Amino acid sequence: MNLNQEPGSIVPNNLRRFYSGESPWHRNWKKAFPESFREVSFVDEQRGDLHRADVHTPCGTTLEFQNSPICLSELESREAFYPKLVWVLNGKKFKGFRILKHLPDVDDPRLGDYEFCHSDHLSMIRKTDLLQGRTKVLNFYHPELRTVELTSHYYSFCWKQPHRVWYQAKAPIIVDLGGHFLYQMKQRPQLSGSYPYLHMMTRKSFVEQFLNKEI
């Protein structure tokens, strides 16, 4: 399916399948949106499959609330079908997941010649050192980095037992750890491998961005 096209035909309410056994977490998320946004079903006219979106907004964005692990083939199937998909994951069920330290703006031009180290400690290495096989690690007290301010919304994190399929997702991933804040998982491209980090936002602002868009 062309990812620039809308999903297939919407299934009328009286033909939608009933799904039971959803977790309270799943149901509470869907209740944050108007009833007309919830449980919207589509037919893939090419394959004859039925897809049911947890939430499908008037702006064309589909929100999928995932309370359990998912296999790669299912992830790819949903991402191929929905042209604008956002995953919301129940991070309270992640094992070994911890938010660590505030990060600077990962796109700060002053960091263009550096890479974040893949460790639990906030540190960087010069690209030139990396290319030459040197491993001199710099922290943010170093004269080269101490003028770079930390933000209040970017965080490093560790995930000791990750569901690695999520690192292969192309659609945005939002992690819900409970409370008033959510965390979008992002990755900074680096020579040493993409550096994963979190972008914090309020739950309220996340929901309202879809309620306020008509198209």
Side-chain angles (χ1 to χ4, degrees), residues 161-199:
Q161 296 177 280
H163 303 152
R164 295 194 179 278
V165 66
W166 295 118
Y167 287 119
Q168 301 184 57
K170 295 180 174 61
I173 292 177
I174 307 297
V175 179
D176 176 16
L177 297 174
H180 298 294
F181 295 97
L182 304 173
Y183 301 86
Q184 182 174 354
M185 289 179 60
K186 296 184 175 182
Q187 298 190 57
R188 182 187 197 242
Q190 299 191 155
L191 297 174
S192 59
S194 295
Y195 177 77
Y197 65 99
L198 300 174
H199 183 182

Side-chain angles (χ1 to χ4, degrees), residues 92-158:
K92 290 185 289 185
K93 300 186 72 174
F94 292 171
K95 294 181 179 179
F97 188 96
R98 289 188 298 119
I99 297 175
L100 299 175
K101 298 180 180 297
H102 291 278
L103 292 178
D105 183 344
V106 298
D107 297 318
D108 190 316
R110 291 173 291 179
L111 300 181
D113 293 328
Y114 302 85
E115 298 207 346
F116 286 95
C117 295
H118 296 272
S119 73
D120 290 355
H121 302 287
L122 178 55
S123 55
M124 305 200 81
I125 186 172
R126 301 183 192 95
K127 287 183 180 179
T128 53
D129 286 348
L130 180 67
L131 292 171
Q132 294 174 18
R134 297 196 295 262
T135 56
K136 183 176 181 179
V137 173
L138 310 177
N139 61 33
F140 280 80
Y141 294 104
H142 190 278
E144 295 178 29
L145 298 175
R146 64 188 177 193
T147 61
V148 180
E149 304 84 4
L150 302 183
T151 70
S152 60
H153 53 279
Y154 288 142
Y155 288 86
S156 60
F157 71 99
C158 69

